[in-house]
Amino acid sequence: MSDSAARDRDAAETASAFSHPPVAPDASAAYGSHPDQLIDFYAPRDGRAGAPVVVVLHGGSWRAPYDRQHVSPFADFLARRGFAVASVEYRRGSEIPQQRGSGPVAGRWPETFDDVAAAMDALPALLARELPQADARRIVVTGHSAGGQLALWAAARHVLPEGSPWRLPAPPELRGIVALAPIADFTTAVALDVCSGAVGQLLGGEEDFGERAPHADPAVLLPTGIATTVVQGTTDIDVPQAVAEAFVDAAAKAGETVGLTLLPEVGHFPLIDPAADACAVVAEELAQLAW
């Protein structure tokens, strides 16, 4: 496929994923005092009790223009599949005029990670209050793109470097992780300039990369001992297949098997597009871990 054809396909897939109107949650709850420290809850549409929980961490290059609204149709899709869903908002980067460039900066250090850690820690109590029909003993975390990195990171907090403020003394009680086209290997992502330098912006630039990457790069936070699957489109030009493969290879070298589900002729956004066949594959991967 030519570069122009690939770009045209990506544009069409993106337009489809963003064509769905936002779906309001059944409940929302704060896990902190900042306006972005919120979790939206979607009850299983079939009214079942004891539903497993899917935690959704949205993507968007850790940049402020992208929030949880764009994955609300995906959250609703999962709720219609019988899951209880918790869609997490977190602080992202914003436009910082004193930095070079006019676009929004990716992420905030350390606030982005503060928020994901706090949300995950608060989740059991919030589920008990907002979705008592959910089974908090069966939690699977999924995330798309930058959110995929955060999902993998949420499962790796017990292997963070000693002294990390986010480190857990034991593995989190999760059934597993389904990472969707995740920015899962920072070295490969930087080499490919994924999302226009987003990884470097997230970590604060070259001067901080070496110090911060060991606290954030999923490819070095291994093994986790938690069942993990990566779902990746083979024609993804936003986060290419090579990034996922580098993470899977890193896991293997660490003695851990990570599942890799490759979807031929699928790009970046069909994974969270309820109108796409790829989204049904994602739901099945989640079900295999949750049930």
Side-chain angles (χ1 to χ4, degrees):
M1 182 183 295
S2 68
D3 287 347
S4 62
R7 287 193 296 270
D8 288 345
R9 168 182 273 185
D10 180 67
E13 290 175 337
T14 303
S16 177
F18 282 83
S19 68
H20 308 285
V23 179
D26 297 299
S28 295
Y31 62 87
S33 59
H34 191 277
D36 285 335
Q37 293 175 320
L38 286 171
I39 303 176
D40 287 343
F41 294 96
Y42 296 79
R45 299 306 183 217
D46 58 8
R48 73 176 67 189
V53 179
V54 176
V55 178
V56 176
L57 291 159
H58 71 81
S61 310
W62 309 284
R63 291 179 172 130
Y66 303 94
D67 62 16
R68 69 194 186 284
Q69 291 298 311
H70 80 273
V71 293
S72 63
F74 174 63
D76 177 66
F77 173 82
L78 296 178
R80 287 186 276 113
R81 291 294 186 109
F83 295 104
V85 181
S87 182
V88 177
E89 191 57 273
Y90 52 89
R91 283 174 283 183
R92 287 100 54 223
S94 58
E95 292 189 24
I96 303 177
Q98 63 267 33
Q99 294 194 6
R100 287 182 295 175
S102 58
V105 174
R108 299 188 197 181
W109 187 279
E111 289 88 352
T112 298
F113 297 93
D114 287 344
D115 287 359
V116 173
M120 294 303 298
D121 292 346
L123 186 62
L126 294 179
L127 279 170
R129 189 182 77 197
E130 304 295 343
L131 283 185
Q133 67 270 50
D135 185 353
R137 298 167 300 176
R138 292 189 292 163
I139 297 176
V140 179
V141 183
T142 191
H144 179 240
S145 195
Q149 177 270 329
L150 294 172
L152 295 168
W153 180 86
R157 289 170 59 201
H158 58 297
V159 296
L160 285 168
E162 293 284 350
S164 168
W166 309 300
R167 182 180 168 97
L168 292 175
E173 295 184 2
L174 302 173
R175 281 292 183 93
I177 305 296
V178 179
L180 312 177
I183 304 177
D185 182 285
F186 282 2
T187 299
T188 305
V190 169
L192 296 174
D193 193 31
V194 166
C195 300
S196 303
V199 171
Q201 293 174 14
L202 173 72
L203 297 182
E206 292 182 10
E207 63 277 11
D208 292 315
F209 193 101
E211 178 183 344
R212 293 176 175 176
H215 296 263
D217 184 354
V220 302
L221 297 172
L222 293 164
T224 67
I226 293 174
T228 300
T229 296
V230 174
V231 182
Q232 176 72 46
T234 63
T235 55
D236 189 332
I237 63 174
D238 297 286
V239 183
Q241 180 178 333
V243 179
E245 291 176 335
F247 173 74
V248 172
D249 289 346
K253 290 176 183 176
E256 188 158 76
T257 300
V258 168
L260 177 60
T261 299
L262 294 175
L263 303 182
E265 303 300 313
V266 169
H268 194 58
F269 282 101
L271 303 179
I272 59 166
D273 181 357
D277 291 342
C279 204
V281 175
V282 169
E284 181 57 32
E285 295 286 357
L286 291 165
Q288 287 184 24
L289 291 175
W291 274 290

